[in-house]
Amino acid sequence: MRKLEKTVDIPAPPTEVWKAWTTVEGVTSFFAPAANIKLRPTGMYEIFFRPDAPEGERGADGCRVLSFLPKRMLSFTWNAPPSIPTLRAKGPMTWVVIEIGKFEGHSKVRLTHLGWRQGEDWEAMYAYFDHAWDLVLARLAKRFAEGPIDWTAE
């Protein structure tokens, strides 16, 4: 199965990195300016990059928690970006797994994005997230090195 995999070292303990991925306060400190997270299987895992946009165009609308191991692993569904409307219209079709490990006094985060299919739009989506996940993980590292992102300045 094709996968997109990224890793990053975070200067924080795993418990803090876990909170960053699993709470609204945490997600809005690095990922996006708004979120709707209910940490339970099938609970919402919506990340809103454009909170004022119409429903369905805000970001990760309709995404849900698939599973988790507290302080170690989180998986959630993920959708296509609005720039690929043929896939976006189908709703969340891929999934992301976040693994958090302890490594020499800090955390190592591995993000794996799965569920890829064949076709031109799928290749465009893969290329989009190959770049986008690098940005997200860099913001996560920056959040712990310098503090939460001020979305009003972005």
Side-chain angles (χ1 to χ4, degrees), residues 9-145:
D9 291 332
I10 304 297
T15 54
E16 294 303 310
V17 177
W18 174 255
K19 289 177 194 173
W21 283 102
T22 60
T23 66
V24 170
E25 179 184 22
V27 164
T28 58
S29 75
F30 81 97
F31 204 158
N36 176 23
I37 297 173
K38 307 288 186 244
L39 188 60
R40 64 178 183 267
T42 74
M44 301 309 297
Y45 197 82
E46 298 179 301
I47 310 298
F48 301 131
F49 305 100
R50 298 176 38 213
D52 297 331
E55 189 172 334
E57 298 177 23
R58 298 173 295 182
D61 300 76
C63 292
R64 295 190 174 270
V65 173
L66 293 171
S67 64
F68 60 93
L69 294 170
K71 301 176 187 165
R72 293 180 39 213
M73 185 279 298
L74 169 69
S75 67
F76 49 88
T77 61
W78 204 247
N79 55 11
S83 61
I84 308 173
T86 56
L87 296 180
R88 176 75 177 192
K90 295 178 181 181
M93 297 181 294
T94 60
W95 63 97
V96 176
V97 179
I98 304 296
E99 296 170 277
I100 303 167
K102 189 173 183 177
F103 181 74
E104 296 182 9
H106 62 275
S107 298
K108 182 173 278 297
V109 174
R110 179 173 40 206
L111 180 151
T112 308
H113 192 159
L114 301 146
W116 303 101
R117 299 182 189 140
Q118 301 292 321
E120 187 176 323
D121 286 343
W122 283 96
E123 290 303 316
M125 184 172 155
Y126 187 94
Y128 176 93
F129 283 112
D130 189 29
H131 175 70
W133 289 128
D134 285 336
L135 294 175
V136 169
L137 293 179
R139 284 181 173 169
L140 176 66
K142 183 178 178 180
R143 181 262 174 267
F144 283 102

